[in-house]
Amino acid sequence: MKQYDYLIVGSGLFGATFAYRAKKAGKKCLVIDKRQHLGGNVYCESIEGINVHKYGAHIFHTSNLQVWEFVNSIVPFNRYTNSPVANFQGRLFNLPFNMNTFYQMWGVITPDEAQAKIDEQRQEALHAMQSAGVNEPRNLEEQALLLIGRDIYETLIKGYTEKQWGRKCTDLPAFIIKRLPVRFVFDNNYFNDKYQGIPIGGYNRLIDGLLEGIETKVNTDFFADRNHWESIADRIVFTGKIDEFYDYRFGHLNYRTVRFEQQTLDTPNYQGNAVVNYTESSVPYTRIIEHKHFEQFGTEVYDNPKTVISREYSTEWQDGMEPYYPVNDTANNALAEKYRQLAAAESNVIFGGRLAEYRYYDMAPIIEKVLNIQI
Ligand code: FAD
Ligand code: UDP
């Protein structure tokens, strides 16, 4: 009989939700994290009374009622609705692409006029592909031109996407852009999901609620004393990097990462919105986040005379940096698959979350996965 039923490596949403459920099932858990705080990438730091999303802006969104009710049972969520604005050479456009955007781009007033404008541009893209003898879009640029046309592609997509991925749109897979909704209504809500919001009081409340009454240790790296950690629990839940778990025996997986440049400003309202994307290539950052707008609405924004902003610079990942986005190319996917096969054969280790599965997951699917695990 070992000291713990579960050793949980990583206190992000996967590990914390697992610990919560395991405790409810009467299991004894220890959660360790190599960072100096709990919560993984949803962790926020309070600066000037503002919850600053230290690892990038996090907006919870889902259409799954069970997931929504679960997170709200831990901490109620607010009514934040993500409506990013794009800045291209000083002109502002609403996102996602909707009637407001089409009006700002072309001055079109009705959905029929907008549709006609987009159709005209799509036809051009189609003809260009046909004369090149191509049936399916071969890359992100062709996909975007077919979906929305040249004006929007060149103003709102090309620069942003090339900065985000560090590669030309002609070298990126088409599927990345399929996620962007196109709407012929005046609706700036970025997500199509039924529910969205931010935990009232910030994400740390969610993590604290999930981990309440559970033993935790921060500044504790599983690999610094692997034999010890493996000896103290019947089973391990591992949410760190899968290639590291196997000592990189097949090679290193790649990631994209983000560098944040954070500033506290003596102004109550810097940009009037939580998210402003900079879509031209000459601006080196992809977007500016103004954190207070996630939790303060309307005139509440002026209750605090200061604000905190973060400029996001998308960069190539190197060892020692935070691994954020799995790279979805053939080589990395094939390598990840080899590691996943090893993982599938383990009887006492559950691999879960973004790093252990090497898959980009939003928060809600992570929770959904954990709610469905047999504990
Ligand atoms: P993580 O949060 O990364 O947690 C893993 C934990 O394991 C970390 O705390 C790490 O320190 C710890 N760990 C790793 N290795 C070890 C080790 N060897 N020993 C001990 N501890 C270890 N999702 C949304 O739904 N909406 C959004 O708006 C959104 N925005 C995002 C923006 C960015 C920039 C990023 C990167 C992600 C975003 N996500 C968003 C996704 C969201 O962050 C993830 O779904 C979620 O954080 C995944 O949780 P996790 O537990 O798998 O991983
Ligand atoms: N995108 C874009 N312009 C924008 C916002 C997004 O071209 O202003 C594209 C870009 O290719 C990006 C993709 O849409 O990679 C998905 O963006 P989203 O913000 O939905 O995803 P995330 O950054 O959260 O993965």
Side-chain angles (χ1 to χ4, degrees):
M1 182 73 187
K2 294 189 176 174
Q3 203 179 342
Y4 298 98
D5 295 302
Y6 288 103
L7 170 78
I8 299 169
V9 181
S11 63
L13 269 186
F14 193 99
T17 308
F18 189 96
Y20 177 89
R21 286 203 58 221
K23 178 170 180 270
K24 286 238 150 162
K27 307 289 183 191
K28 191 158 184 245
C29 302
L30 171 65
V31 179
I32 63 169
D33 203 297
K34 66 179 180 184
R35 293 183 184 167
Q36 56 193 3
H37 59 75
L38 301 169
N41 287 346
V42 304
Y43 169 75
C44 294
E45 186 184 340
S46 175
I47 298 174
E48 301 287 350
I50 297 162
N51 286 318
V52 174
H53 297 211
K54 290 304 280 186
Y55 301 92
H58 277 73
I59 301 133
F60 197 95
H61 57 100
T62 182
S63 290
N64 182 322
L65 181 61
Q66 189 202 8
V67 168
W68 184 242
E69 286 180 341
F70 174 76
V71 292
N72 275 273
S73 74
I74 309 292
V75 50
F77 276 52
N78 71 20
R79 65 156 184 87
Y80 177 78
T81 302
N82 198 31
S83 316
V85 169
N87 182 324
F88 179 79
Q89 298 178 346
R91 289 171 66 200
L92 297 183
F93 297 89
N94 288 112
L95 295 173
F97 309 138
N98 74 90
M99 281 304 295
N100 289 307
T101 329
F102 307 142
Y103 172 69
Q104 290 147 350
M105 185 69 66
W106 300 304
V108 291
I109 303 285
T110 65
D112 281 352
E113 285 169 19
Q115 184 80 66
K117 193 77 195 165
I118 289 174
D119 282 350
E120 179 190 308
Q121 301 216 343
R122 281 178 171 157
Q123 282 306 320
E124 278 173 32
L126 204 58
H127 287 143
M129 275 176 59
Q130 279 166 350
S131 35
V134 179
N135 292 327
E136 285 289 306
R138 289 166 299 182
N139 53 53
L140 192 148
E141 176 168 300
E142 288 180 356
Q143 176 71 60
L145 291 172
L146 265 190
L147 198 68
I148 197 81
R150 186 164 294 279
D151 287 345
I152 289 189
Y153 170 65
E154 287 182 349
T155 315
L156 301 176
I157 297 175
K158 187 170 189 290
Y160 186 92
T161 304
E162 292 187 346
K163 282 190 282 188
Q164 180 165 0
W165 294 102
R167 273 182 273 167
K168 296 229 162 301
C169 285
T170 45
D171 294 335
L172 285 166
F175 77 86
I176 295 181
I177 210 74
K178 284 188 181 155
R179 276 176 55 172
L180 279 190
V182 178
R183 298 193 190 126
F184 293 94
V185 289
F186 291 91
D187 180 1
N188 298 328
N189 180 352
Y190 198 64
F191 298 119
N192 288 320
D193 280 317
K194 274 194 193 151
Y195 316 106
Q196 67 179 298
I198 306 283
I200 293 176
Y203 281 96
N204 295 359
R205 291 247 170 109
L206 177 62
I207 295 295
D208 290 349
L210 289 170
L211 291 176
E212 198 179 305
I214 293 162
E215 213 180 313
T216 59
K217 281 187 203 297
V218 291
N219 295 313
T220 305
D221 189 334
F222 173 74
F223 297 111
D225 199 357
R226 182 173 186 155
N227 289 339
H228 165 70
W229 297 118
E230 284 178 340
S231 73
I232 62 167
D234 290 336
R235 299 190 79 192
I236 291 175
V237 175
F238 183 76
T239 74
K241 287 165 57 198
I242 191 170
D243 54 352
E244 191 174 12
F245 190 90
Y246 289 110
D247 225 358
Y248 306 105
R249 72 176 69 161
F250 303 131
H252 287 248
L253 290 163
N254 277 319
Y255 301 85
R256 289 290 292 171
T257 192
V258 186
R259 182 169 64 81
F260 301 101
E261 228 173 64
Q262 188 185 302
Q263 269 182 303
T264 303
L265 303 174
D266 281 316
T267 177
N269 190 7
Y270 173 73
Q271 62 183 16
N273 204 28
V275 184
V276 178
N277 292 358
Y278 284 77
T279 56
E280 68 200 83
S281 52
S282 55
V283 173
Y285 41 87
T286 49
R287 55 184 195 175
I288 300 183
I289 304 299
E290 187 172 12
H291 299 267
K292 63 161 42 169
H293 296 294
F294 289 122
E295 297 183 56
Q296 274 83 49
F297 307 123
T299 53
E300 288 166 9
V301 166
Y302 292 90
D303 294 348
N304 185 338
K306 299 200 179 205
T307 197
V308 181
I309 60 166
S310 305
R311 290 189 171 77
E312 296 190 357
Y313 298 80
S314 179
T315 28
E316 201 62 50
W317 176 80
Q318 286 168 355
D319 236 348
M321 292 176 170
E322 290 295 345
Y324 281 141
Y325 298 101
V327 177
N328 270 306
D329 61 15
T330 324
N332 279 289
N333 284 338
L335 187 54
E337 199 43 47
K338 285 171 84 175
Y339 284 119
R340 283 191 211 113
Q341 274 171 19
L342 290 183
E346 302 277 354
S347 52
N348 288 328
V349 187
I350 296 171
F351 291 80
R354 226 169 22 95
L355 299 172
E357 296 181 53
Y358 195 71
R359 290 206 170 97
Y360 184 86
Y361 284 115
D362 278 329
M363 294 180 274
I366 292 268
I367 305 248
E368 185 176 340
K369 278 203 114 176
V370 182
L371 292 183
N372 289 319
I373 292 177
Q374 198 74 39
I375 294 195

